[in-house]
Amino acid sequence: MKKDPIDVIAYEPRWVEEGLSHAEAVAAALGPLALRVDHVGSTAVPGLAAKDVIDIQALVMRLEDEGIIAAMIGAGYRFRDSNTYDPPHPESPPALGEDDWRKLYFREAKGARRVHIHIRRNGAAAARNALLLRDFLRDDVPSRRDYGEFKMALAVKTRKDRDAYQAIKRPFISIALRSAESWAELTRWVPGAPDAYWRSAE
C-alpha cells in the first residue's frame, strides 16, 4: 500500500471544532464503554504546526471487551489490527505493565476526513502521555514553537519516508516528555474534563 507523503502545515483553527466533533462521534459510538474521549496530538494544540490528521483518544476499562470493536465497526470506523502497540517511552512512569503501551486502533470511514482513533486502557502510560504532552504544549509557548519548527523542517527532509520521520522525531518527543513531567510536577497537573463522554438519552 502506498503511504501518503509527510506534509506538516501551519496550524488551522478549524482543527478545534473538527477534533471536538470527532471526539463526540467516537463517544457516541462507544457509549458507556468509554470513560472519556479526547482530541489529542498536534492538531489539539492551538498554534502548533501539524499533519492535517485528527487524533482521538478513547479510554476504556478493558481492551479485551469484545463490544469495543463491534461498536466502532458498527459506527463505520475501520479497525486496523496490525497497529496494536505504541512504542514505549522509558522515561514514562510505569503503571499497567504491558497494557501501558497496548491499544486498539481505528481509522475513519472510507472516503471520510482523515482521523486516527487510539483506544487505550484507562491509566496506561501512553494514555497519560497523550494528555500530558498536549496540555504541556498548549501552555509552554517556547516548546510549542520549537516543536512546530522542528516538525516542519523534518517533514521537508523526510517527505517520502514516514519511517524516518517517526524515528527522528521520537528522541525529540522523549525530551519534550521529560520537560512535560517537570511542568506537571510544578503545576500539579491532572487531566481536565474530557472533550467528550457518553451521555444517556434519558
Side-chain angles (χ1 to χ4, degrees), residues 26-94:
V26 171
L30 289 171
L33 292 169
L35 302 177
R36 65 179 293 156
V37 182
D38 293 277
H39 180 201
V40 296
S42 293
T43 56
V45 180
L48 181 61
K51 298 189 296 293
D52 188 19
V53 177
I54 299 295
D55 281 285
I56 300 296
Q57 173 174 270
L59 302 188
V60 299
M61 290 297 295
R62 295 175 61 254
L63 292 172
E64 293 82 6
D65 193 324
E66 295 180 359
I68 296 171
I69 296 175
M72 292 294 286
I73 291 176
Y77 296 106
R78 296 176 292 165
F79 180 45
R80 293 291 184 255
D81 60 2
S82 60
N83 190 347
T84 57
Y85 280 90
D86 295 299
H89 283 281
E91 64 277 2
S92 299

Side-chain angles (χ1 to χ4, degrees), residues 109-131:
K110 189 173 182 179
R113 189 248 194 276
R114 185 80 171 263
V115 180
H116 295 177
I117 303 159
H118 314 264
I119 299 181
R120 299 180 172 113
R121 185 177 162 191
N122 189 47
R128 179 180 180 275
N129 283 350
L131 296 172

Side-chain angles (χ1 to χ4, degrees), residues 3-25:
K3 294 182 178 179
D4 296 331
I6 302 294
D7 189 13
V8 174
I9 62 175
Y11 178 75
E12 290 278 359
R14 61 182 168 82
W15 289 338
V16 172
E17 289 303 320
E18 288 181 333
L20 292 175
S21 175
H22 285 288
E24 290 279 3

